């Protein structure tokens, strides 16, 4: 029994160490998001973007310490079949034994919040961002995490009594993390409006060709992409939560390989598809670095949920589709004049949805048996009966609905208070000059007079009605789901 | 017994792996320091700063290989109650079995040296820096590490017979690493004098408002901060030195969580306090990115010593105070016209002191029992009788005294030789042009004539006396301490 | 037996985790190579260089997934004494159980390919690069890896029946990875020709003093160097492939320490030697950052093959020589007018050769007994009889011969098709404008007219013959080797 103790103690050490490793890599993704943003924005807004990234991480730590963790995982009990909507204990880490689990989950919450930073770049007020960041990590994200990942969650596949005998399979968070962040991003940018001069001229008339705002450094954007990919090895493998339980080493190996293959495949497909499209359209294709980089990230997002349950060839296929989906949704966003400074919506929202569905399509019996032994269905392409796919769709509806029903009114209210959008002159000058201590030598002396007119004010008029419809719909969908489960 | 062997062999593997992980992260902090410096200095001095950072790492490796490790840990023996001032065996790694321990300790020595690089940026000669760097990592730092961390150290809490039954508790080096580096930094910058034009005009008259020398890239500074935070997960957790001993997994988990919370709390407190101060002073607050970043680092430094023995809520409090302390000490330095190009003194020295004291205030009984079972006191806020706090103060006095008594005369001597300060024209042109092969296309053609006058020469006059007093004081304090122990 | 199971399961977990750690660090080296390139090239070619780096990683993943891994390790069997030239099973990962091993090997293949990206920077067409990258990772590199690392390889030290009872000792790939990449780089740059204006004026006359093309950011180059060094801790230690086998913890510790010492020593030796040379030549030495950084990398490359079998003092010596060798070969390349934009040939090829030879010189009996217990010779400086050194030379000949015999005709063919070199006007304008979507605001308006004349066309005439001779020579050397073994 002493020997058993040594074995058990070693297993504990391995598990704690594994989570330290994974948490530190996921935390490092904050640097990746920051460099991505820094590379994508204009020089005049770099400091502002950086500060938002840093405060996301810090705010998430404090918010998740005080209330977020309690809402998400407070009092989780793997044996208890009762389902709850939200956790209600372990505030301020009181009574929490497994501190490493907190660290890992904090890093996820921080990622979820940071996704939005890039989208809103160059035009969002600092105060609004701080409010948003606290709300997301303190309440909105924890409820999503609780529902899908806590053993008491009503959609959880780890529950002893999961939805329809299967539950939502979201191994590392295509839906929980990326769709939550991506949905928030699209709501926020919709209400915030496009950057001045992006889609409308100074009289408010739509431009023939949208104006590009080129980022100030391709090298930093590339660095951010590589850091994110690197961090994803912690993000996805770490979601196994331990290595000592049976089969975990096999699961984790598969996860790491699938992550790699999907990223590579999506990068190539996004770049190649873009090349072919351009070649057809204007007679000469170009190799687009930014499409290649965002394609890469799209592949990573899309495999995040499915990585433990699909075969490597499926990861290649999922990545391939993700790359094309990224391109299509990026173009669509521009068509409907929604301005996303870093393409976070196509990357995280579109591919968050796709990744969650892909699990319902490609999950293989052999892999499911190892990772989710209690689930009694597989992907429909692999012989499933559709129950898993239906669960996955429920998961998507729940996440989109929940986030929208909270964040839409929230951002509307901020907008109503005048806290959301930076003033016209601040935006044209650059937020660094306006909000931060920036020495005169950096002031670039843009002529402000000429451009301060006409944001598309009329957009705001339709929002009240749309918001109302949206919230009602979501509410009923949500209640319906709860009753079904 | 074969089974026991397997268990033991696994434990060995885990421990070696854990130190590889931690060492590589701590080593990566060199990149963090480098990016921080690169971001903070003017473009004309980037190459010079980078080279100093690189040579710190390389010099530390060679110095610590040849003599530093021997001085710090040579012949350490956990059973031996005898105390020594310095180690005397294992030069050139001869006879060292645990090579990973060397690697981890080398990475710490390199960090200690690199702290100074930023402070001296933009005006220190290359040769002086090389001399300093070798002295610190080869002799000054090893003696500090020996005294506080070696089981034979006269202040060590790991000794079988520690000072006053407690010893100095400095888990990951608030005092050993950061205070050593920070004290050296303040001495060096005091003797080196401020950058030309920072506090004095060209006739040597003090300026009303000190001139800012804005760094050339906020993005790189942010990257450096995130890399440092990331590396700190190796720095602090790795200081447990192994994972297989009893309770180590619990200790390490706590360490990682405390590290996170203190960083986040300090970032928010530094930024918010600065906002409030500015708001009161000039009627409008700004969100300062550089204060947020340095606040973050201050929190990390201050929790470094205490991370294994305080509760998470204490980490939040310690971080909060660290953020404010950073602001106050940064302002104070400017008031007394000491020029620190990257605010390393407020971050590493002020918070190194505070972190060491904080351990004496907040160390909790439960945590102490796990991490330092032999120590018989706790923090005074947690019911201690003050013995621990007294030990901590001794530790601070010893580090400051030892470093000052060596480095002050050392830098004075360099100054006397004319090796310390770059010439006026070199400084104005930028050190990259002067000391490095820089192609003409990068030469910015600043007009040198106008600015080359008047460093504050009179400062030097008072130094001899001050130095003398300082050394004498320190010497007696030091001897007294040794006798007490 | 349950207990044995727990012990075995823990060992498996440790091994999988160790490879995740190592693979993620090696993957992160892609970011290092990218930042190194970004720092070294002119601003007008940054996007182009970044895209090449990204596609290397992605192409390697897909190529190594589909065919590369099968060629390199397909059907490896440690008990089987039969030698094969190439693996023939496990295409598309079918039937592969140890997925982590794939991930680790993929990261190596990607590194090998990326080495070339920098050398060809600023003048190579995108399509040619894509063709090259796929060929290298899909076929050329896998054959090398098979020959030296697979247990069936005809040069492998892990074979049950190795060449001359010893085999080629290349622990982490001085020859397999770096020499393969470096040889490809020199062939490619030789056929591609120097950048316009580097060695010849616009009439095709050689310049007295070669023109420098300074990189646009020393900070990014430094960042790349530190990331590479950091990644090397995964590259070299991970090459132990597991930690649970006997003695692996000791081997891995030695590897990490040797890696550190060689890098530090080479950095100092390259910088100091350069200083002394310059001092003698022009009367005043300068501290060259780029020599220090490349010296560092040279030390890392040279210790890569030997790190598990030499003592720490040998690592210092090897690093010292590597630094000088880098300087000499860098100067030689300039003398013979071969243009290497990032000095990858001196770093990876020259030191790849040296590192492989150094193993035959310095391998010590005690270390060999732990890492390669079946090998019956040691380094000649340590009492060996020269068999090991002879094996090492065979390894070098094989790698250089194999790579040359394939890549030389390959690049000649690309050149013949006109796919290799960017057009004169594209090169002068910068490849970002030509090949990528670059907004007009970044167009720098260089005057193209003046510089578009005269690449050294006559060089191409001698190539056919040289190529022919080379291929014949290599072929016979190769056949001879196979017969000997």
């Amino acid at each position: 029994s002493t020997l058993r103790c040594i074995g058990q103690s070693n297993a504990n050490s391995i598990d704690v160490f594994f989570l330290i490793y994974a948490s530190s890599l996921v935390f490092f993704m904050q640097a990746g998001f920051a460099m991505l943003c820094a590379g994508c924005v204009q020089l005049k807004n770099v400091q502002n973007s950086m500060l938002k990234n840093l405060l996301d991480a810090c705010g998430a730590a404090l918010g998740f310490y005080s209330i977020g963790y309690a809402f998400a995982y407070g009092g989780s009990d793997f044996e208890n079949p009762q389902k709850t909507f939200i956790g209600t204990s372990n505030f301020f880490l009181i009574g929490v034994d497994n501190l490493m689990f907190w660290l890992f989950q904090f890093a996820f919450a921080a990622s979820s919040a940071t996704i939005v930073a890039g989208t809103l770049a160059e035009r969002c007020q600092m105060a609004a961002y701080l409010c948003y960041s606290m709300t997301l990590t303190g309440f909105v994200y924890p409820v999503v995490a609780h529902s899908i990942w806590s053993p008491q969650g009503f959609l959880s596949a780890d529950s002893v009594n999961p939805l329809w005998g299967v539950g939502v399979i979201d191994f590392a968070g295509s839906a929980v993390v990326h769709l939550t962040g991506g949905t928030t991003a699209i709501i926020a940018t919709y209400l915030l409006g496009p950057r001045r001069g992006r889609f409308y001229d100074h009289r408010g008339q739509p431009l023939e060709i949208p104006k590009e705002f080129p980022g100030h450094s391709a090298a930093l954007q590339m660095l951010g992409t590589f850091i994110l990919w690197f961090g994803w090895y912690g993000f996805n493998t770490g979601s196994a939560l331990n290595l000592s339980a049976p089969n975990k080493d096999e699961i984790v190996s598969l996860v790491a390989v699938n992550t790699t293959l999907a990223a590579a495949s999506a990068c190539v497909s996004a770049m190649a598809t873009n090349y072919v499209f351009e070649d057809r359209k204007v007679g000469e294709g170009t190799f687009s670095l930014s499409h290649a980089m965002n394609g890469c990230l799209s592949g990573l997002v899309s495999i995040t949920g499915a990585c433990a349950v699909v075969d490597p060839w499926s990861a290649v296929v999922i990545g391939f589709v993700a790359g094309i989906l990224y391109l299509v949704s990026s173009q669509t966003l521009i068509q409907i004049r929604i301005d996303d400074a870093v393409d976070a919506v196509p990357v995280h929202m579109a591919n968050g949805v796709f990744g969650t569905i892909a699990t319902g399509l490609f999950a293989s019996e052999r892999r499911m048996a190892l990772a989710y032994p209690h689930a009694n269905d597989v992907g429909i392409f692999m012989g499933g009966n559709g129950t898993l796919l239906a669960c996955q769709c429920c998961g998507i509806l729940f996440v989109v609905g929940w986030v929208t029903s909270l964040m839409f009114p929230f951002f509307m209210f901020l907008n109503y208070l005048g806290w959301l959008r930076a003033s016209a002159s601040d935006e044209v000058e650059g937020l660094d000059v306006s909000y931060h201590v920036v020495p005169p030598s950096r002031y670039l002396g843009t002529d402000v007079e000429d451009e301060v007119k006409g944001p598309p004010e009329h957009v705001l008029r339709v929002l009240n009605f749309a918001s109302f419809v949206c919230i009602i719909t979501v509410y009923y969908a949500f209640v319906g789901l709860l009753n079904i489960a």
Side-chain angles (χ1 to χ4, degrees), chain A:
Chain A
S1 109
T2 312
L3 295 175
R4 184 179 294 277
C5 265
I6 295 181
Q8 189 52 49
S9 154
N10 282 339
N12 284 350
S13 300
I14 294 168
D15 292 345
V16 164
F17 181 16
F18 182 57
L19 278 192
I20 294 176
Y21 161 81
S23 304
S24 56
L25 258 68
V26 178
F27 174 79
F28 194 44
M29 291 172 76
Q30 295 292 327
F33 283 114
M35 290 304 104
L36 201 70
C37 271
C40 285
V41 303
Q42 300 166 78
L43 192 55
K44 67 182 178 181
N45 294 314
V46 169
Q47 288 193 51
N48 185 268
S49 298
M50 292 299 92
L51 187 54
K52 283 172 183 162
N53 275 285
L54 180 59
L55 290 177
D56 267 333
C58 294
L62 297 178
F64 214 67
Y65 163 69
S66 54
I67 56 169
Y69 180 82
F71 288 158
Y73 298 100
S76 285
D77 177 358
F78 274 84
E79 306 303 314
N80 184 349
Q82 206 194 331
K83 294 185 179 178
T84 53
F85 178 63
I86 198 165
T88 51
S89 57
N90 300 137
F91 292 94
F92 293 93
L93 282 175
I94 292 164
V96 173
D97 285 328
N98 189 349
L99 287 172
M100 280 316 301
F101 182 69
W102 178 85
L103 188 67
F104 188 65
Q105 296 301 334
F106 138 71
F108 270 60
S111 298
S112 181
T114 301
I115 287 167
V116 181
T119 299
L120 308 189
E122 311 202 297
R123 62 203 189 279
C124 176
Q125 285 190 40
M126 203 69 214
Y129 193 80
L130 291 180
C131 293
Y132 139 73
S133 172
M134 288 187 296
T135 310
L136 192 86
T137 53
F139 183 63
V140 178
Y141 170 81
V143 167
V144 175
H146 182 87
S147 304
I148 298 182
W149 283 344
S150 159
Q152 261 82 57
F154 78 101
L155 294 170
S156 172
D158 294 324
S159 163
V160 294
N161 170 29
L163 181 68
W164 301 327
V166 181
V168 175
I169 306 274
D170 190 16
F171 188 74
S174 276
V176 176
V177 177
H178 295 284
L179 185 53
T180 300
T183 305
T184 309
I186 199 170
I187 293 168
T189 188
Y190 176 58
L191 291 173
L192 189 59
R195 284 168 290 177
R196 202 163 298 275
R198 176 88 168 100
F199 295 124
Y200 301 93
D201 67 13
H202 65 277
R203 290 161 307 183
Q205 297 301 310
L207 296 169
E208 281 284 305
I209 298 163
K211 190 178 165 195
E212 298 284 339
F213 290 94
H216 89 287
S217 169
L220 290 183
Q221 201 184 342
M222 182 77 259
L223 177 64
T225 305
F226 271 131
I227 291 177
L228 286 172
W229 188 340
F230 172 61
W232 235 287
Y233 286 117
F235 199 94
N236 284 3
T237 64
S239 293
L241 298 180
N242 69 67
L243 267 176
S244 64
N247 303 320
K248 286 284 184 177
D249 44 1
E250 202 171 328
I251 294 168
V252 161
S253 301
L254 178 71
V255 163
V257 169
N258 281 346
T259 303
T260 308
L261 290 174
S265 168
C267 170
V268 171
S269 93
M271 198 193 70
T273 310
N274 181 61
Y275 188 93
V276 172
F277 276 0
E278 285 195 356
D279 198 35
R280 297 222 167 168
K281 202 164 137 201
V282 300
E284 195 190 353
T286 59
F287 298 98
S288 164
L289 176 61
S290 84
H291 285 121
M293 292 191 287
N294 283 327
C296 220
L297 297 178
S298 298
L300 290 164
V301 169
S302 67
I303 202 64
T304 295
C307 54
V309 295
V310 301
D311 292 316
W313 67 264
S314 305
V316 175
V317 174
I318 290 171
F320 190 83
V321 176
I324 296 171
L325 179 62
Y326 158 71
L327 268 190
V328 172
S329 38
S330 176
Q331 289 303 317
T332 308
L333 273 190
I334 292 173
Q335 299 268 317
I336 60 176
R337 296 204 177 92
I338 287 184
D339 182 22
D340 183 347
V342 299
D343 261 359
V345 171
V347 169
H348 297 280
M349 189 191 181
N351 282 293
V353 168
F354 170 63
T356 311
I357 289 174
T359 310
L361 304 177
F362 291 99
S364 86
E365 195 163 352
R366 182 181 148 216
R367 311 294 184 181
M368 284 289 282
L370 291 177
Y372 295 91
H374 306 301
N376 55 22
D377 191 29
V378 297
I380 55 168
F381 291 173
M382 314 299 282
N385 60 24
T387 317
L388 175 57
L389 186 58
C391 284
Q392 298 300 102
C393 293
C394 285
I396 294 167
L397 284 175
F398 166 66
V399 173
V400 173
W402 168 253
V403 173
T404 307
S405 67
L406 285 170
M407 292 320 260
F408 205 107
F410 174 79
F411 279 111
M412 284 197 70
F413 184 64
L414 284 182
N415 205 4
Y416 173 77
L417 293 176
W419 287 16
L420 191 55
R421 176 103 190 192
S423 74
S425 58
D426 285 351
E427 187 181 342
V428 172
E429 275 193 307
L431 303 185
D432 287 4
V433 177
S434 314
Y435 294 150
H436 309 289
V437 181
V438 176
S441 66
R442 284 199 190 165
Y443 179 71
L444 299 165
T446 317
D447 188 354
V448 177
E449 301 303 316
D450 201 34
E451 304 189 39
V452 293
K453 276 194 214 140
E457 300 286 354
H458 61 276
V459 169
L460 296 172
R461 308 232 171 88
V462 295
L463 291 186
N464 284 314
F465 184 67
S467 164
F468 181 75
V469 170
C470 173
I471 291 165
I472 293 298
T473 315
V474 163
Y475 179 73
Y476 280 107
F478 178 54
V479 168
L481 264 179
L482 274 171
N483 288 340
I484 291 163

